[in-house]
Amino acid sequence: MKKLIINGGKELTGTIKIGGAKNSVVALLPAAILSDGKCKIYNVPNISDVHKLNEMLRLLGSNVEYKNDEILIDNKNVKNREITKEYASTIRASYYFMGALLSKYHKAKISYPGGCVIGSRPIDLHISAFEKMGAKVSIKDTTYTLTAEKLHGADIYLDFASVGATINIMLAAVLADGTTHIWNAAKEPEIVNVASFLNSMGAKISGVGTSAITIEGVKKLNDGIVEVIPDRIETGTYLMIGILLGKNLVIDGIIKEHLEAVITKLRETGAEFFIKNSKIYVSKTKKLNGVNVKTLVYPGFPTDLGQPMSTLLTQCKGESLFEETIYENRMRHIKHLNSMGAKILQFEKKAIIKGKTDLAGRNVIATDLRAGAAMMVAGMIAKGTTTITNIEHILRGYENIVDKLSNVGADIKIVDE
Ligand code: UD1
């Protein structure tokens, strides 16, 4: 079992380079299976989800070469095969193979996806959209079988602007007969990234980045190429760490427009940082003030940064209200923050955070990926040693985290027990 050990309070100086976005690459890899030729994916982050998806591509017969931060995929020998529980249950994004295989082969057999336990995470919107496009879906034990004699375009309205459903519908629709419209589509930048990859293969997708997406089905998809966008959640996490501990810290390789809500909220606390082109320059802000933060779909404040933000709010003077609106269960880190000295009163999906409180190192648990990030930020600012267990979660989403942070002066290491 791996543990993260942090000796807190160290000043951070130097440059942190941002990697490719987890939530993009986990959709780009399954999307690659749609190509009848070869695909190149640049700026791939070195996270465990990527390794797991590569295994699923290899299971389907793709030749996958992963060197440095590039992946080359050759689909010459690809066949439709079942993605069994041992593969699918390891990560959430395995569900993108449903849309992709249904599109290409009119049949997909795949076990239920895994992922962080942050509340019930149904995929009913994905399934009902596939059914509207002509698929029949059956579930036996934990395995979904999707078949379609003919997959056709459809008008699909999403009751919730789900990232996963929007991408999965695009994957299914690119090779369907006719035109598909997605209304109330999710607008996250990762969706735009996936659409540009599919369009590079010859797909006809327009409207991405808005709530109305149109996909005109084509007969075949060819070679594809894409660069993974920078990870806005990794950027936001390091920016928060910089506000708390930076001394001329530079966060390099960002897209500011993807982070407007986060930047604006952080500035509202009084945090000072400077952005020029693709770099953020940040030093510790001594006095921060409490603010209210409510997570929302893009372009709102991202749910994936809500938990690290709650740690930052413990260092803000006064009362802050932190509210999670996307998931049921994103407050499991609160009791661990309180054990370190925070004063947080939680009621269901809302938390009142009273600051500023000094934090002390403790033994805590990464209950999910972003809760792990919240504990990591807490450990970095706490006095003494913090030990975080269950860090497999953190490693799924933050590439080379120990190297990136120790290179700028953090005292952080992973021990294997
Ligand atoms: C993706 C991200 C995740 C992020 C989330 C919201 C990936 C792999 N993960 O997750 O990091 O936190 O977007 O930005 O990209 N829902 C339904 N039925 C469905 C689908 C979703 O009820 O069929 C609900 C979910 O239970 C949840 C909400 O919609 O409450 C958000 O889900 P969704 O946007 O689909 O998130 P994911 O794609 O799972």
Side-chain angles (χ1 to χ4, degrees):
M1 204 176 61
K2 288 190 168 96
K3 288 179 182 173
L4 198 59
I5 299 183
I6 305 168
N7 288 309
K10 303 283 182 276
E11 205 170 64
L12 306 182
T13 304
T15 299
I16 299 181
K17 182 93 185 75
I18 297 302
K22 165 188 168 287
N23 287 348
S24 265
V25 77
V26 297
L28 293 169
L29 289 166
I33 207 76
L34 284 161
S35 161
D36 285 337
K38 294 180 183 171
C39 292
K40 278 188 189 172
I41 306 179
Y42 295 103
N43 197 32
V44 175
N46 182 13
I47 51 174
S48 57
D49 276 14
V50 164
H51 299 282
K52 286 175 184 155
L53 285 162
N54 283 345
E55 281 170 29
M56 291 183 224
L57 285 170
R58 290 188 180 113
L59 172 79
L60 293 165
S62 298
N63 184 44
V64 182
E65 279 177 41
Y66 184 13
K67 259 196 216 142
N68 304 320
D69 62 353
E70 289 177 20
I71 296 187
L72 302 180
I73 296 165
D74 185 343
N75 286 337
K76 200 169 52 197
N77 299 318
V78 161
K79 278 206 188 90
N80 193 9
R81 292 189 176 91
E82 176 178 350
I83 302 188
T84 50
K85 192 173 171 186
E86 58 173 314
Y87 290 90
S89 67
T90 54
I91 61 168
R92 178 112 191 116
S94 49
Y95 61 28
Y96 289 131
F97 281 108
M98 285 185 181
L101 293 175
L102 188 63
S103 201
K104 187 162 182 166
Y105 297 106
H106 294 184
K107 181 165 181 174
K109 202 166 176 190
I110 176 162
S111 186
Y112 199 80
C116 286
V117 185
I118 48 181
S120 74
R121 299 180 78 181
I123 55 167
D124 54 311
L125 298 172
H126 307 228
I127 300 297
S128 72
F130 296 148
E131 285 172 339
K132 279 205 178 108
M133 297 174 75
K136 291 207 164 35
V137 182
S138 65
I139 309 168
K140 196 166 173 234
D141 301 324
T142 56
T143 301
Y144 285 88
T145 304
L146 301 93
T147 46
E149 258 173 47
K150 206 174 150 194
L151 204 64
H152 55 76
D155 264 298
I156 296 160
Y157 169 80
L158 293 176
D159 288 326
F160 180 84
S162 152
V163 175
T166 302
I167 293 178
N168 233 340
I169 297 165
M170 287 195 321
L171 296 174
V174 281
L175 291 174
D177 276 351
T179 303
T180 298
H181 294 285
I182 314 176
W183 308 110
N184 194 32
K187 295 184 276 206
E188 271 71 357
E190 292 75 17
I191 294 166
V192 182
N193 207 194
V194 176
S196 34
F197 183 39
L198 292 167
N199 284 346
S200 79
M201 295 180 200
K204 289 189 174 159
I205 307 176
S206 57
V208 279
T210 77
S211 57
I213 298 179
T214 302
I215 307 125
E216 285 174 52
V218 297
K219 293 268 173 274
K220 185 177 184 304
L221 294 173
N222 306 304
D223 295 353
I225 186 162
V226 71
E227 181 172 339
V228 184
I229 56 169
D231 196 306
R232 61 197 167 97
I233 307 302
E234 187 192 23
T235 306
T237 308
Y238 291 137
L239 174 56
M240 290 173 198
I241 291 175
I243 290 166
L244 297 166
L245 294 162
K247 190 176 183 203
N248 304 324
L249 184 70
V250 182
I251 302 168
D252 186 15
I254 68 132
I255 296 182
K256 176 178 172 276
E257 289 70 21
H258 293 173
L259 279 154
E260 293 297 357
V262 178
I263 288 168
T264 309
K265 257 305 151 192
L266 286 170
R267 290 213 162 112
E268 212 180 299
T269 67
E272 285 171 18
F273 49 89
F274 170 67
I275 302 175
K276 195 169 176 214
N277 302 325
S278 60
K279 291 190 174 79
I280 307 179
Y281 300 84
V282 57
S283 291
K284 176 176 173 161
T285 303
K286 288 210 174 81
K287 190 169 169 283
L288 298 166
N289 298 311
V291 293
N292 295 341
V293 178
K294 186 174 181 174
T295 64
L296 291 167
V297 295
Y298 189 83
F301 194 97
T303 171
D304 287 352
L305 279 173
Q307 289 155 304
M309 183 71 184
S310 67
T311 305
L312 181 134
L313 293 176
T314 68
Q315 302 308 299
C316 297
K317 193 166 181 284
E319 208 169 83
S320 300
L321 176 65
F322 163 50
E323 188 179 353
E324 164 64 28
T325 72
I326 312 288
Y327 293 109
E328 291 157 9
N329 218 347
R330 273 211 142 153
M331 294 283 178
R332 294 194 300 164
H333 64 300
I334 298 288
K335 77 169 185 199
H336 296 286
L337 278 179
N338 280 341
S339 79
M340 295 175 78
K343 285 198 180 119
I344 307 177
L345 207 66
Q346 183 214 332
F347 181 68
E348 295 181 345
K349 298 195 293 184
K350 290 183 181 165
I352 294 170
I353 303 173
K354 286 191 180 153
K356 172 185 179 192
T357 46
D358 289 335
L359 300 184
R362 292 278 182 273
N363 292 345
V364 293
I365 303 172
T367 49
D368 59 71
L369 166 53
R370 307 303 171 183
M375 297 326 299
M376 187 189 72
V377 179
M380 306 260 312
I381 52 180
K383 200 163 177 220
T385 305
T386 298
T387 303
I388 310 177
T389 48
N390 259 16
I391 61 158
E392 281 68 19
H393 284 303
I394 307 179
L395 304 180
R396 285 183 33 229
Y398 289 86
E399 72 164 356
N400 306 334
I401 195 160
V402 167
D403 287 348
K404 284 192 186 187
L405 286 170
S406 37
N407 283 344
V408 294
D411 184 346
I412 181 169
K413 63 178 177 195
I414 291 179
V415 294
D416 222 334
E417 281 180 357

